[in-house]
Amino acid sequence: MTKSTAKAPLAGTPSLLRAINDRAALELLLENGPLSRTQIGTLTGLSKPTASQLLARLEAAGLVLPVGTTAGGPGPNAQLYQVNPAAGYVAGLDVTTSEVRVAVADITGTTLAEHTAPTKGWPASETVARVAGAVAETVRAAGLAEGILHTVTIGVGGAPDPVTGKLRYASHLPGWHAPKLLRELSAAIGAPVSIENDVNLAAVAEQASGAARGSEDFVLLWAGEGTGAAIVIAGRLHRGFTGGAGEVGYMPVPGAPVLRDVRRRNSGGFQELVGAPAVRALAREHGLGAPTAEGSVARALETPGAGDDFLAALAGRLAVGLAVIVAVVDPQLVVVSGGVPTAGGERLRALVEEELARISIARPEVRSSALTGSPVLLGALQRALSAAREAVFSTH
């Protein structure tokens, strides 16, 4: 008889239990706003003495603040507490070929300042300095001290290789491929920096507070100047072996020529159908020319006849790519985002869902993005906040 080598589970130590209770209380305060000792005790199941000790610890650590008292109820007024906004600050960036958008937020998720700087004409050699300068400008606009940021997340139209850290699928972003880029950005900004695919960050934002909130399995299709997808399985982003999961612009699909050497051309099948140049060309075929893809879609919505035909054709193209993705992933939900779906609104969404149901065995619900502003910027802030909270809330 072989002797078992399995270890007995470790009992929770008092310090571990305190840490778990403290983190639970902080999450409740973030989600529900100011709470009293009694409310925290009720929501966590802790006794009043234990809840009082918990709040004293968190206040001494600078993680919570007293913010007034309850009023209007029976009995004496109760002290209310909230997470201390100054416990940490983060920045999120959305980098495109034309601009970099920066937002700075406190640990509660409140955005304190935003700043946009043009990127056209930036020498590749000045990328680090220019990005750091844009971040510094936003920090100043927020009224914060230099070097105060805890974490920075940058969204770009490429895929960081999880092994090498090299940015792939991003030849359109000169200056972002240097081997020491992350190290140099971190040193110039004065905080740890991470780079994430922009469409993945849009999915992070939709899952946190948008159309995919509460969904554990969904696909986000981004259609605009570029085309991409984010895949969330069991609540987690699926990045793939090289970080390129979701680079569906390169995906061969019916109706588009099969291009060889797609890396060199930085294009591919699905992009040739639904990328901005293809949308503008399709609009011209229907007599709906406009300077931008979004403008073409907007014009179609106001043009009976030709506009209806254009929208039906565009929805068919989007559905073809989605059908391929859905056949492999079988998601609960599809979210469409980016400039083209946003311009098309409910009408284009409904046409895409209808056409997808015709050509796909799986028939997931199709929803439009429910976010205002830049989904990529919101996702970058969300990712930076998650990292900062994990560090700050776990080390007091």
Side-chain angles (χ1 to χ4, degrees):
M1 184 174 184
T2 304
K3 184 178 179 181
S4 173
T5 58
K7 295 182 180 180
L10 296 174
T13 63
S15 60
L16 175 60
L17 294 175
R18 283 195 296 270
I20 293 172
N21 290 336
D22 290 356
R23 183 61 183 267
L26 289 165
E27 295 293 343
L28 286 169
L29 287 168
L30 285 171
E31 185 174 350
N32 299 292
L35 296 172
S36 67
R37 177 193 64 178
T38 300
Q39 290 171 322
I40 289 176
T42 300
L43 292 170
T44 59
L46 299 174
S47 66
K48 287 184 179 180
T50 302
S52 295
Q53 294 169 5
L54 177 152
L55 286 168
R57 283 196 304 274
L58 295 178
E59 187 174 1
L63 296 180
V64 301
L65 292 173
V67 286
T69 59
T70 58
N77 295 343
Q79 179 70 61
L80 293 174
Y81 294 86
Q82 72 171 25
V83 172
N84 181 5
Y89 298 96
V90 303
L93 284 74
D94 176 11
V95 176
T96 69
T97 55
S98 60
E99 64 183 20
V100 53
R101 297 181 61 179
V102 188
V104 168
D106 62 39
I107 201 76
T108 71
T110 300
T111 299
L112 304 177
E114 292 191 27
H115 174 65
T116 301
T119 56
K120 284 187 176 180
W122 277 14
S125 60
E126 294 182 14
T127 295
V128 170
R130 297 284 187 108
V131 170
V135 172
E137 179 66 26
T138 317
V139 169
R140 284 193 294 271
L144 302 176
E146 181 181 353
I148 201 169
L149 294 177
H150 185 282
T151 308
V152 177
T153 298
I154 302 176
V156 299
D161 189 300
V163 176
T164 65
K166 181 181 179 180
L167 191 64
R168 301 161 62 91
Y169 312 101
S171 59
H172 59 294
L173 292 174
W176 287 86
H177 304 85
K180 299 179 180 179
L181 178 67
L182 273 180
R183 190 185 315 164
E184 292 175 352
L185 282 170
S186 297
I189 294 173
V193 174
S194 63
I195 294 178
E196 178 62 272
N197 173 262
D198 53 1
V199 182
N200 280 350
L201 290 177
V204 167
E206 295 289 354
Q207 189 176 31
S209 57
R213 188 168 187 175
S215 178
E216 294 286 299
D217 292 87
F218 71 94
V219 167
L220 183 141
L221 176 66
W222 182 279
E225 194 63 36
T227 307
I231 302 166
V232 176
I233 301 173
R236 302 185 65 179
L237 278 168
H238 176 71
R239 291 182 173 83
F241 181 69
T242 66
E247 293 291 338
V248 297
Y250 300 92
M251 181 173 65
V253 291
V258 176
L259 300 180
R260 268 71 182 184
D261 199 9
V262 293
R263 289 186 182 183
R264 192 171 185 179
R265 299 190 187 194
N266 196 35
S267 187
F270 196 32
Q271 173 72 14
E272 298 297 313
L273 280 186
V274 299
V279 174
R280 292 195 301 270
L282 180 64
R284 288 194 297 271
E285 291 176 14
H286 290 81
L288 301 168
T292 65
E294 293 83 356
S296 299
V297 175
R299 187 176 176 189
L301 290 172
E302 300 172 350
T303 309
D308 298 332
D309 294 342
F310 164 78
L311 291 171
L314 177 57
R317 293 183 176 193
L318 290 166
V320 162
L322 279 173
V324 177
I325 300 168
V326 165
V328 176
V329 180
D330 188 21
Q332 171 193 3
L333 172 71
V334 169
V335 177
V336 288
S337 187
V340 169
T342 298
E346 171 58 22
R347 190 165 166 200
L348 181 59
R349 182 214 64 81
L351 287 169
V352 171
E353 184 176 60
E354 183 179 340
E355 183 62 18
L356 180 60
R358 287 197 185 103
I359 63 176
S360 173
I361 293 177
R363 298 179 177 182
E365 179 185 358
V366 177
R367 296 179 186 172
S368 297
S369 170
L371 302 171
T372 57
S374 165
V376 177
L377 190 61
L378 292 172
L381 280 178
Q382 186 65 40
R383 181 52 56 88
L385 283 168
S386 296
R389 289 168 180 170
E390 184 65 32
V392 172
F393 292 170
S394 302
T395 56
H396 72 277

